[in-house]
Structures are given as C-alpha cells and as structure tokens.
Amino acid sequence: MSEDRRLAVLRAIVQDYVETSEPVGSKALLERHQLGVSAATVRNDMAVLEEEGLIAAPHTSAGRIPTDAGYRLFVDRLSTVKPLSGAEKRAISTLLDGAMDLDDVVDRTVRLLASLTRQVAVVQYPSLTRSSVRHIELVPLGGTRLLVVLITTTGRVEQRVLETGIDLGEPAAERMLASLRSDVNGATVGRTLADAAGGLGELPTQVDPAARGLLAAIAAELTEVLVEQREERVVVAGTSNLVRAGEDFPTSIGPVLEALEEHVVLLKLLGTVSEQGDSVAVRIGAENPYAGLQSTSLVTTGYGAGSDHVAALGVVGPTRMDYPTTMAAVRAVATYVSRILAE
Amino acid sequence: MSEDRRLAVLRAIVQDYVETSEPVGSKALLERHQLGVSAATVRNDMAVLEEEGLIAAPHTSAGRIPTDAGYRLFVDRLSTVKPLSGAEKRAISTLLDGAMDLDDVVDRTVRLLASLTRQVAVVQYPSLTRSSVRHIELVPLGGTRLLVVLITTTGRVEQRVLETGIDLGEPAAERMLASLRSDVNGATVGRTLADAAGGLGELPTQVDPAARGLLAAIAAELTEVLVEQREERVVVAGTSNLVRAGEDFPTSIGPVLEALEEHVVLLKLLGTVSEQGDSVAVRIGAENPYAGLQSTSLVTTGYGAGSDHVAALGVVGPTRMDYPTTMAAVRAVATYVSRILAE
DNA sequence: AATTGGCACTCACCACGCCCGAGTGCCAAC
DNA sequence: GTTGGCACTCGGGCGTGGTGAGTGCCAATT
C-alpha cells in the first residue's frame, strides 16, 4: 500500500471537488487523473483516507468530500502556489498604480482582491501599532483646548483634542508650547508609536516644569491612540460573492455576513495571523475561532513597507476553495500594495 | 362602487401581504379585516385595483400582491406612521448616549437602526458640504511642506499636505504664517465651507503679498475638500438581514449586496433624498435609479444639528416592507442622533 | 347601479411511488 | 498489494393524481 499514491488520491479528490462542487467517486477520479491503478484500488485508498479523517461521505452511496483536516493536509503538503497569469499581474499593478492617497489604495486593493479571487476580500488599514511617528503637531484651538495631530510614516493622520486647563492664549503659554513642540518631536520622530510613548516618558525632567502636566497628558493620549483598537479599520468587499458560493454553507450565508460586519473580530483575526512570519496563512473551517466563520476559510498575509508588516489583508471564502490560486492572489496583492506604500 | 372601500381593500392587502409574505385572496381578507362586505364584492374591487395597476396576481389562481404603485399609494395616503414603543425609545437613547466620539456615534447609530428595523441600515457621515468651519490650522512640516488642518463644527477633521515652494524654516516665513493663520481663521471661522472658500477669495488684497500664492493654494485645497465627494463616507450594517428576506428578491440578493458596496452610489441616493425637506422619504422599487436596488425600497431622512441637515441615514429593504414601522424607526433614530450631535 | 351567492374552472403545490444510476463494500482471484 | 466482479444502498429526478385556495362570471337581489 503506497502512502504516496494515497496522498495523490487525496489531492485529486480535493481538486475535483473544488472544481465540480460535487462529491467525487472512484470512477470519476480515474477518468480525470492518470493514477495508473484501478477503481477498486482507489476505493481501498479512499477507505483508508476516510478512516484517517481526511475525507468523508455525505451519505452512504455517494462520493467523498474532503474534511477540514483533508484541506489542511492538501494546503500544507500537496499543493504548490499557482503563479498568476501575466494579465493578472499587469491588472494588479496598473490598478494600484493609479491610486491617489491611502484611502484610495486601500479601497482599490480590497476591490481588486475581491474580483481577483471572486471571494470576500478584507483589508486592514495600515496599523498604528507598527508604524512610526513622522511628526507631532500641537495646535492651540483657542481657550484652553489643544489639538494634538499625529502623522505616521504610513501616511495616517490621527487627531485628539486635549483639555489642558491652561489659557493657551497667553504669551508664556505660547512659548511653552513652542518649546514643547520641538521637544516632543525630538523625542518621538522616527520611532515606533510604542517607542515614542516611552520617549515621552523620559522627557519631563528636561522641560519647563509648567509643561509637565501637559506632556503627561500628551503621552497618555499617544498611548491611548496606540492601544485603542477601535481606531483600527478594516474594509470589506465582494460580499456578493458569498451568494454564488451559497450552497457551500451548511445553514446559510447569514452568519457569515454577520461576522463580516464585526470589524473588531476581523481585526483580531487579521492581527494574530499577520504575526506568523512572511508567508500566506490559511485557517480552515473549524480551525477558526469565531463561530460565524466556522464553515469558512481565511487566507491571509501581512503587508506593508519593508519586512516589518504594518497590516494584514486576506480573503474569506468557503472551505471548498481553490487554495493554490487564492493564496497566489493574496500574496501577489500584498506584495504589490506593499510596494506602493513604500512609494 | 365606493372609492373609499377600494382603498381600504388595498390597505388590507398591503398589510396582510407584508405580514404573511403570501399572496392574499378575497377570503383571507374577510377573515382578518372587518370590511362589512362579501367576498364577491372584494373580488370586484380587487379586479378594479388590478386594472389600475395597484396590485397584481403572480399567477392565475393565486391571491394578489401590491405593485410598486400600490405601495406608493399606501405610503402616501393610506398609512400613518406607527409610534415606537416606550422600550424602543429608551433603547435608542441609552445606546446613543453612551457614544464616545463621532465614529462611535455613527457606528452605534447604524447598528441600532439595523437591529431596530431588522433590515439593512445605511448612515452617512456628517457631510462637509453643509457643516461649517470651526478652526483652520497651518502647520509647517519641515522643509517647504505645510500641513493644513480643517476642523468642522460637526467634529470632523480633514487634513491636507501642501507643497509651498517656500522654505518655511526661515523667520520671515514663520511670521508670514502666523499672520496668515489669524487672517485665514478670521475670514473663515463660523462660516460654512462654501462661504469660507469665498471668504478666502476676498483676503488676498489685505495680506502680505508674499503670502498670496500660498493663500490661493489654501483656498484651492479648501474648495477641493468641499467638492470632493470621495471623502464622504457611509457605513452599512445589517446585511445579514437580507438573507432572511431573500425570497422577496426576484433573482437573488447578490445584486443588492453589490449595490451596498458601491458607497458612491449610496451617497448619491442619500444626498438627493436629504434635500427633500424634513420628512422621511421613501423610494419604492423601480422608482429607484440604481439597477441593483430596483427590487428594494429605501426609507431615508436627513439628520444633523438644528434644522439644516448635514447628512442622511436610512434603511434598505425589500419592497415588501413594513413601511409605517420602518419610517417611524428611521425618523426616531434621526431625531435622537441629531440631538446627540448637537451636544 | 352596487352587492351578493353560486358555480365552474384553473393551477400551484404536495405527496406518493417509481426507477435509475452512481457509488460503495466485500470477496475471491491474480 | 492489486484487480475484476457483484450485490446492495440510497439520493434525486420524474410523472401522476389529488387538493384547495382563489378566480371570473352570471343571474338574482336590494
């Protein structure tokens, strides 16, 4: 009994099932693949695969369907990422090259990924947590209120209004602000947000004592922005593709749509995934922690300038998915959008 | 032949059909409504209503279904907006009162509206076009680049980076910026964006000639922000409600989902609608200009502080919709969120 | 002129029964 | 370990007939 051939059978089953969306039987397999053995042998192999939990039969006299474990094995050991066609590559680069600003880049990316994979695409906005400070500006708003503007290397701008308790209109306050402005920038520019908050922590002893309270408040705001997940955003596109794949979902696509609206959940999923190194990560069916997505697979990867990923993007689809092509598309889009972001 | 009774029949048909989602026949009508006439009479009335194009029969021996025109008449003349229950009102106010910032308000609003109506909710971010200037700040970024920050009365902050061609590090440039800053604010604060752009147009003769070019550039940026629809955002929630109402869509919910992702289209729909005075506007089925939404109805209204609406929100659902309750919910949510925004 | 009861007719829908064929498991032979 | 053969299973497609809600029309009534 050849282990290799059994895996070849599994591969064939996955490929056929993904293509036809119908349980595949021993005979159909022989017609479409050159396995060099008879149907009976294939049946024996399938029996073993079923025992191992890699495939299952929806009912007695029907073909086999890959289980989550079967897909897992396929993705890990039996598939090679299928390269994109030249036309696809060209489409990617021309579309993304036309983007005007960060919003536009994200918008185009998510649509592109959705149409490329014909599935639901999810793109996270470049995350504050991993980007670094380009500039911090302090703007008196009149009265005692101060606007703090944070500009990151990823082109993102965040702002907060601070109640200082000091009348900022006075000359002394203006001078203090000016020195504070240069001190704060000196201590933060070029550092990651996490580092920058630390950098601010070291400052107070050096600056005008009157400004210490203010500085602490600014540092607090900064770390709040840093920690605050709520400010992170994801964009979703291609939900209508779920309809086409509707039969693949046991109950209905309702729970999936609900899950896709829970951006907090999506962020968490994208976040944990993007820590797993460079490669494309795949979460299959029940491997997925979130209930609404247990009958879906996620194909995700990180992206961003350089090797330090600042955000993640990916695709949500039925477990019955063409993993090789999807993974190729996700990887390619991530690469291109990273290049764009690096300017 | 009584015109009044015929309309009562239409009203009864709409109500029953909305409730049961099944074609309603003459007999069923008699059981559920006190019409005081016989089935045959009702049949005669229905025949007339059908001739007038207000109802239709899906096939020969079946009950009748309201047409778009039937719903239209119902909404315009036969329905009274159903007041919300006390519990609902309380739920609205407590949920919205807990909001922390603008993003949070919008997020909570759209979810609330979706769960209240059990349909797809759409909320537009308070629009720049109608809000006015609270503050404009000019921030040199180092080198020749200048950051322009615009803060509106709706709490929205927009920023642009300007290439000035002037070395802003020089003392002369700093002085110029300082005067420019106060001039610009003097000419714009408190005015609407459209007015503000005009106000800037009147300034150049008064200020330092060296700053004129810069000022023109700022004015240009301001009007660009003003005109630029791309910066307007909508948020959508409750798409999973479409699944429940799936049978109401002739083909599938796919096209609807696609339409809901075209935020530009949604903005246009919300925009035109919010110009129609205070009341709740209803667009029924084919009245809708956008192809993907021709089998849906839109119930929308404007919202925002005071009587000048700064944005719009609404609900998208099947034409077979409980218009009175939906309209009540939309109106109530708009009222509450306006109150919140007014602080 | 409007309303009503009666009546024949139409069709969507459902349940039943039937067959078919793809697919399986098992076994004996190679 | 592989193969051909064989009996068995069972989901799905298909015609068939019955049922009932609903209609349109007509003659009688108010």
Side-chain angles (χ1 to χ4, degrees), chain B residues 1 5 37-38 41 43-44 59 61:
Chain B
M1 174 189 305
R5 193 197 51 228
V37 290
S38 78
T41 311
R43 278 204 287 280
N44 289 335
H59 57 84
S61 78

Side-chain angles (χ1 to χ4, degrees), chain B:
Chain B
M1 174 189 305
S2 149
E3 170 84 11
D4 283 354
R5 193 197 51 228
R6 227 167 39 223
L7 291 183
V9 169
L10 175 59
R11 180 198 281 120
I13 290 177
V14 171
Q15 286 170 349
D16 277 20
Y17 180 61
V18 164
E19 193 177 331
T20 66
S21 83
E22 263 158 33
V24 8
S26 52
K27 199 172 174 184
L29 265 193
L30 287 184
E31 289 172 7
R32 304 174 45 106
H33 302 266
Q34 292 77 15
L35 292 172
V37 290
S38 78
T41 311
V42 172
R43 278 204 287 280
N44 289 335
D45 287 344
M46 294 204 295
V48 178
L49 288 172
E50 185 163 15
E51 248 171 53
E52 294 176 338
L54 297 172
I55 57 178
H59 57 84
T60 320
S61 78
R64 302 312 215 296
I65 283 180
T67 62
D68 287 357
Y71 284 124
R72 172 89 275 156
L73 186 62
F74 174 81
V75 168
D76 288 345
R77 300 184 39 203
L78 300 177
S79 69
T80 57
V81 176
K82 191 187 296 179
L84 270 67
S85 75
E88 284 172 322
K89 285 186 193 169
R90 250 172 290 126
I92 294 178
S93 57
T94 56
L95 185 68
L96 290 187
D97 281 344
M100 318 186 49
D101 56 18
L102 182 64
D103 282 338
D104 202 24
V105 171
V106 173
D107 187 56
R108 283 167 184 248
T109 303
V110 73
R111 286 168 188 265
L112 171 67
L113 193 54
S115 74
L116 217 52
T117 60
R118 303 182 61 83
Q119 268 155 357
V120 181
V122 181
V123 175
Q124 175 187 14
Y125 264 72
S127 155
L128 289 174
T129 329
R130 323 230 174 139
S131 54
S132 53
V133 178
R134 175 176 288 163
H135 183 80
I136 292 179
E137 183 54 41
L138 310 177
V139 183
L141 287 186
T144 60
R145 300 202 300 172
L146 181 71
L147 175 70
V148 183
V149 181
L150 165 68
I151 308 176
T152 74
T153 49
T154 48
R156 186 150 165 188
V157 180
E158 289 291 322
Q159 63 281 321
R160 280 280 183 295
V161 176
L162 230 63
E163 187 56 56
T164 63
I166 306 172
D167 183 355
L168 299 170
E170 293 185 5
E174 283 191 7
R175 276 196 307 279
M176 182 196 71
L177 264 190
S179 78
L180 196 59
R181 189 176 291 135
S182 64
D183 285 348
V184 165
N185 276 284
T188 57
V189 168
R191 309 174 74 167
T192 69
L193 290 196
D195 287 352
L200 283 183
E202 299 162 6
L203 266 184
T205 52
Q206 312 169 12
V207 301
D208 176 356
R212 288 192 189 172
L214 199 48
L215 190 61
I218 294 174
E221 288 292 332
L222 194 67
T223 51
E224 187 179 320
V225 167
L226 171 67
V227 171
E228 205 167 64
Q229 291 289 3
R230 184 164 48 78
E231 286 296 335
E232 300 204 319
R233 275 176 60 198
V234 284
V235 183
V236 176
T239 51
S240 63
N241 290 327
L242 286 178
V243 180
R244 200 177 21 79
E247 318 88 29
D248 284 327
F249 297 100
T251 59
S252 101
I253 63 172
V256 182
L257 281 172
E258 279 171 24
L260 289 172
E261 283 185 2
E262 292 301 328
H263 289 187
V264 181
V265 174
L266 292 182
L267 277 168
K268 207 173 291 178
L269 289 172
L270 287 177
T272 60
V273 135
S274 68
E275 288 166 5
Q276 308 180 350
D278 279 356
S279 59
V280 176
V282 180
R283 277 232 199 72
I284 297 167
E287 294 173 11
N288 216 296
Y290 192 66
L293 298 177
Q294 300 237 332
S295 55
T296 68
S297 284
L298 267 74
V299 177
T300 54
T301 192
Y303 75 93
S307 62
D308 48 335
H309 299 143
V310 294
L313 55 77
V315 157
V316 179
T319 49
R320 184 184 77 78
M321 171 195 291
D322 182 351
Y323 291 95
T325 3
T326 304
M327 290 169 75
V330 168
R331 181 204 279 168
V333 170
T335 308
Y336 276 89
V337 71
S338 296
R339 191 175 304 164
I340 298 286
L341 283 185
E343 253 129 321

